Structure formats: C-alpha cells, structure tokens
Amino acid sequence: MTVMDEVLQCEPGRVVTLEADNATVRKTFTGPDLIAERYAAEREFDHLSRYRTALSTYALATCPKAIEVNLIGPPFVRMERAVGAPLTSHLAGVLLTERQFDQLAAVIVDALRIYVLTFSEPYYDLHLRNMAVEVPSGLVTFFDFGVPDIFDPVVVKSLNDLPPLDVSLGNLLGSTAFEAARPKTLHCRLRHQQSVRLVEKVLRLSRRIDIDNQPAVDLEVIHWTAVAALRASTTRRGGLLRTVWYGSAARFIAQPERLLGKLITRAR
C-alpha cells in the first residue's frame, strides 16, 4: 500500500484499499498463518476469474475482473474496482419501487444459482454490503467469495454438509439481521426497511430454484444457518462493550432473531 491508497475496509486479517489510479482495488490477506493466507488469496483470485466467466452471458450481473495475485510477503489480490455504488448506500438513499425490488431480487437469485452451479459450494459472504449496483442499467456486481473468519471451523464443517443454496441464503438473512443491530447503522431506517423487503423477495423467489433436479430450498435449513451466522457475527469478535451490546441492548432494540423468524414466516 502506498501513501496515495485509500483504505476502503480494514478488518482482522483483511485490508482492502483503492489504489491511486482510482480504478484498482487491492485486497491484502494479513492473518498470522501465511500458508492459510496464501491459500485464501489464491482462492479469491480463482473465484473472481471463474465467476466472472460464468456470469459473462448474464447481462445484469458481474464480478470484478481479477488482475493479479501476489504470494510474496503478505499475499494480496488486485482487481478492477466494482462498477456502481454500494447496494447498501443505494438502499439507504433511494426509495425503490416494487418493480425495482423485483428486478434486484431476480438478479441476486440468478447470480446465486450461477455461483452454486459453478463452485458446488455456498456463497458464504452473500451479503448486501458485498454488492454494488449501477443505475440506471441495473447491473449488480458481486464480490468477496471467501469464508468469513467469524465462523468456527466446526460450524463451517456442518454447513458444508448442507445444500449450498440454503446455506448461502441463510448467510444473506443472518447478515441482514446483523446489519440491523449494528450500532453504526442502527439509525439507517430506510436502508434496513428496504434491505428486509429485498431479502424477503429473494427468499420467495429462491423457492422456485431447481438445481440439478434437487428439491426446493429448505426454509428450516435457511433459518438454522441464518441464526448461526448472526450469532457468529455477534460473538466471535470484539471486547466487553460489543458483547454487552449484542447480548442485551441490540436484542431489545433491533430484535435481530425475531426479524429472522418473520422473514422465514413470510417466505412460507
């Protein structure tokens, strides 16, 4: 990273920066296990390349073009900057019509189906904050294809034994409920209202998906995964204040687990 780079995201084990050309994003893997981080970087580069190819025939979805993977020192992946604005910012600032909700939901469901068919694994980081949308074309860009380190390895092993589509949708629900309870986004009422509306439509639409002649999605599996993702997000990191917030105040104010139950009920 140079002094001209802009830090877009900084979390334990990951630093995402926008390079000085304003068109290239660098994702650096900074965890303590160099071998594991090299594997994660190679996996990210592979998934970017293969998913972009898989989406090439679908006009309304894409992912950033992979430019380079470097395994010397802290490994990193360089990719093109996503087109459009963060979807969460779009949901916070623009009142969507039913038609726009329907189109966004359809794109998310179609892109998820393509992901599962391409990799035969869950899209673990399927979060609204990991999407960008270009207006007015409606192009949605998807990114972040690793397994978040908030998940305990034992939980990941259990999730890997479940249908990948159901696990992906459960992560989408869990992350949406978590965002509604975060202190820094708690006040973003329009964003949360529209996020919930969008995810509700995604859930309903996903019940029509048929991958390799397998049964439709199982709402119980989705609910279980969503609760696991929410609890991992609220308990695996942070100190005393975070624990107190998510263990008491957030449950009373935002009621994230109740929100998950409502979403599942509405999808039936």
Side-chain angles (χ1 to χ4, degrees):
M1 185 174 71
T2 71
V3 293
M4 298 298 293
D5 292 347
E6 176 188 351
V7 177
L8 301 177
Q9 183 181 19
C10 185
E11 295 183 352
R14 301 289 183 269
V15 178
V16 181
T17 55
L18 178 64
E19 296 186 0
D21 65 2
N22 209 38
T24 306
V25 169
R26 178 187 300 237
K27 183 175 184 178
T28 305
F29 298 77
T30 60
D33 186 339
L34 185 58
I35 293 176
E37 297 305 274
R38 285 174 175 167
Y39 171 78
E42 288 183 305
R43 183 183 187 279
E44 184 88 5
F45 186 84
D46 169 79
H47 278 49
L48 282 168
S49 303
R50 292 170 60 194
Y51 194 36
R52 185 176 175 88
T53 298
L55 290 170
S56 62
T57 58
Y58 184 56
L60 292 178
T62 189
C63 74
K65 180 180 179 181
I67 298 173
E68 173 192 7
V69 58
N70 189 306
L71 304 179
I72 299 174
F76 63 81
V77 175
R78 297 175 70 238
M79 66 195 81
E80 288 184 351
R81 185 180 187 180
V83 176
L87 178 55
T88 49
S89 298
H90 184 61
L91 293 172
V94 179
L95 190 61
L96 271 60
T97 65
E98 283 301 301
R99 182 178 179 180
Q100 290 171 322
F101 275 120
D102 289 340
Q103 178 175 320
L104 269 173
V107 173
I108 293 171
V109 169
D110 286 343
L112 175 57
R113 177 183 59 83
I114 293 170
Y115 185 95
V116 171
L117 285 171
T118 301
F119 300 109
S120 300
E121 68 181 29
Y123 186 164
Y124 275 103
D125 235 0
L126 183 66
H127 301 170
L128 297 181
R129 65 176 179 269
N130 288 338
M131 305 176 199
V133 61
E134 184 183 40
V135 180
S137 72
L139 177 70
V140 180
T141 301
F142 295 80
F143 43 89
D144 281 357
F145 307 121
V147 180
D149 63 0
I150 59 168
F151 284 115
D152 186 284
V154 175
V155 174
V156 173
K157 188 176 185 302
S158 298
L159 294 176
N160 283 338
D161 292 332
L162 298 173
L165 183 62
D166 300 29
V167 173
S168 304
L169 291 166
N171 277 289
L172 179 61
L173 263 69
S175 64
T176 302
F178 172 66
E179 289 293 322
R182 293 180 72 186
K184 71 177 183 179
T185 59
L186 192 65
H187 65 286
C188 303
R189 296 188 63 184
L190 180 61
R191 167 180 163 177
H192 296 316
Q193 290 168 357
Q194 298 203 120
S195 295
V196 169
R197 182 68 174 142
L198 177 57
V199 170
E200 181 182 341
K201 284 183 173 286
V202 167
L203 257 188
R204 287 180 175 175
L205 195 57
S206 68
R207 300 201 71 188
R208 306 176 194 172
I209 295 181
D210 180 16
I211 295 180
D212 292 339
N213 297 315
Q214 295 298 309
V217 296
D218 186 331
L219 291 176
E220 297 306 318
V221 173
I222 293 173
H223 193 188
W224 184 89
T225 304
V227 171
L230 173 63
R231 290 178 178 172
S233 297
T234 57
T235 60
R236 288 278 290 174
R237 287 181 185 161
L240 178 61
L241 286 178
R242 180 187 176 96
T243 302
V244 170
W245 170 259
Y246 288 112
S248 56
R251 287 187 177 181
F252 176 74
I253 298 171
Q255 300 181 319
E257 294 201 18
R258 184 182 178 192
L259 173 59
L260 293 180
K262 285 183 176 179
L263 283 167
I264 293 294
T265 299
R266 291 171 187 171
R268 294 188 187 279

